[in-house]
Amino acid sequence: MRRRGAVLGLALALAAGLTLSGARLAVSQAIAIVAMRAPSPVPWQEPWAGFWGDVRMMPLPLSAQASVAPKGGKRLTLEAGAVHDGENLFVILEWPDASPSDSVSRTEHFTDAIAVQFPSEAGVGVPALCMGATDAAVNIWQWRAAWQTELERGSAPSILQTYPDAVVDSYPFEGEELYQPGRAVGNPFAEALRVSAVDNLVAGGFGSLTADPLAAVAGWGQWRQGTWRVVLTRPLQVGREGNIELGNGANTDVAFAVWDGAAQERDGMKSVSTFAKLEISNEPLASGIGMVWWLPAVAILAALAVWLGLRAGRSSA
Amino acid sequence: MNVTWARPMPRRDERSPSVNSEERWESIPRSLLWVLVASVATEVLLLRTFFRVGIFIPKQDVFRVVNDVLVMVGTFAFNLSTVLTLSSLGWLSVTALRSGRGATGLAIGSFVALSLLAAAGAATGPLVPPMFAAATMLVTWPNVRRSRVWGVRGLGDRGNAERLGIGLTATVFLLSAYSGVASSMRASALGSPPGVVAAQLFGELLIVAVSIAFLVARRREGPIPTHAAILGALPALVVASAWQANGAIAGILALWATGLRLYLPVWAYVVAVWALATTVMARRGDGSSRAAGLVLLACAGFLLESTYSMSVALLALILLCDLPARVSAATVSRDGFVQEPRATVSTAR
């Protein structure tokens, strides 16, 4: 009885010491996306180029956003990888989507989209996943398929493009900004001519999401056989408040969100990941290595199983 | 003059409870075991569930204080369970080494040592999952094989359902370890082995079967008490109600706390929870540590992505095998056969 008490007391004291000191006796396999150094130029406008086959992709489970209304989304697996060329970061993302949705010209149309969220200050701490907090802002890059379509076309869709059979006598003051208040106040949804398919956003809690126009944040996506691939890019350093600064050796948290336009997902109706780690490494991106390393491992395990079987057989005999 | 002889090994259900409990006490003190179970369960509730939910919520005013207190309690529970789990494994390693199961004792001890070194910052992290897999195989192998050779009974000579449960549990652990190693390889230059998602899905399927197998094993030993079946239905009802009320949140919480994707029909998980909880209730007070092993198995979760969850899982497996009692009750040879307990009687005065 005394020994039991002593052991328990010692364990409690040790646990209290660990709790107060912040030390841990356990570690976990961190989900880390390692951005290795790639030779320039990086084909970021060709997400399906062979170059991206050398980038190590990390599978991340996404689940429905169920914390804040409007809730929605689904469970799916997103593959994420990253490289850098010393000046720019490139994040490649791949996820399944049965059909591409790249228009918001009709009321009932919603676009496919993906967002990457960083703490505004790298490595300081993990902010609240939902738009950060007042003392822990987040920087979000959101790519929208519809924005890319407008960028490719060179303009937002006109009424006649969306509704070819519509008949309009005339729109008075059509060219005057005064009568297009959304565009006049800089609402990003009302932009006539987009410069990027990616919105750069900053937030410090619910309801504080703010567009921070930064043309340097760019991205390009391509849908192929039920899968979206999108590459997002931005200079590692932009020197702008609220925007994450990254450099060689940087280590930060990163989270992802996916919207499926065909399922009418928008706003908070999205699939979200928890935070993973992003490391900027100076190691060069290796090509053509691996994919077969596990064969020797399987062979060793098989040999071990055979050895155990033979040993058991000898014992039985 | 010393006389040594062998006496028949009593059947498992014929062993004297007093002897068993005494032997088991030498392995893991029961009171410490239940403190460990309570601390692991607290960690699951306060860190894996509450803290992860809290990540989504900006914290202000009173909620910040409540959050901080609960997270600190959860952190303390985590540290306590880590200390007790690693200590228990260390002790079981010594017990196994003393009883002649050198390979098993060495594997468990190496796993503990590598885990502690990894936590201290040494680059031993990648070695932990393979050592966990090795310890899992060595603990499991003698307990799943059927053998009775030359009148010597193997540890595997137990009911088919129990052997199946233990074997499936070990398979789930191996699949999870493979999936973890394979996932971590993706970020390296070594390339990724195939079948990560398939391993996860198959492992999740096996978990449901594990619960059923252990319930069947318990049923083979005798009728399931009615109160156990009723009490076991409570957590199953909670799962079913949570899914009915909000499937999205229930699914996310299950994923965070246990690593389960819940891709199978929900009723399968409800049945599995009922089977597991019923077996725990039926096994309470039966003189074995298997009830504690089942609770730890549930708390370890499926995706063993930390040295902590691997430790809890390995300890759960050892308790499910009831290994300490068996090892203590009889000397076990290196290949897992039970040597008849030998009594040495001195007739010299």
Side-chain angles (χ1 to χ4, degrees), chain A residues 4 7 15-16 19 24-29 32 56-57 59 64 66 75 79 128-130 206 289-291 293-294 315-316, chain B residues 25 31-32 55-56 58 75-76 79-80 82 119 129 149 180 186-191 193-194 249 252 261-262 305-307 335:
Chain A
R4 263 181 289 181
V7 171
T19 305
R24 299 286 178 268
L25 289 181
V27 286
S28 65
Q29 296 174 2
R56 310 299 159 203
M57 302 290 278
R75 273 172 280 157
E79 301 258 348
L129 187 68
C130 297
F206 293 129
I289 298 180
M291 306 312 289
W293 70 269
W294 45 268
S315 302
S316 302
Chain B
W25 163 243
S31 54
L32 286 185
I55 285 280
F56 286 79
T75 306
F76 177 77
N79 285 323
L80 181 60
T82 310
V149 183
R186 285 182 175 239
S188 76
L190 293 173
I249 287 183
I252 291 169
R261 296 177 182 224
L262 302 192
E305 58 187 13
S306 67
T307 56
D335 61 1

Side-chain angles (χ1 to χ4, degrees), chain A residues 150-168:
Chain A
E150 290 182 17
L151 200 60
E152 285 176 305
R153 192 168 41 213
S155 68
S158 67
I159 295 291
L160 285 176
Q161 281 172 328
T162 306
Y163 302 99
D165 297 331
V167 176
V168 177

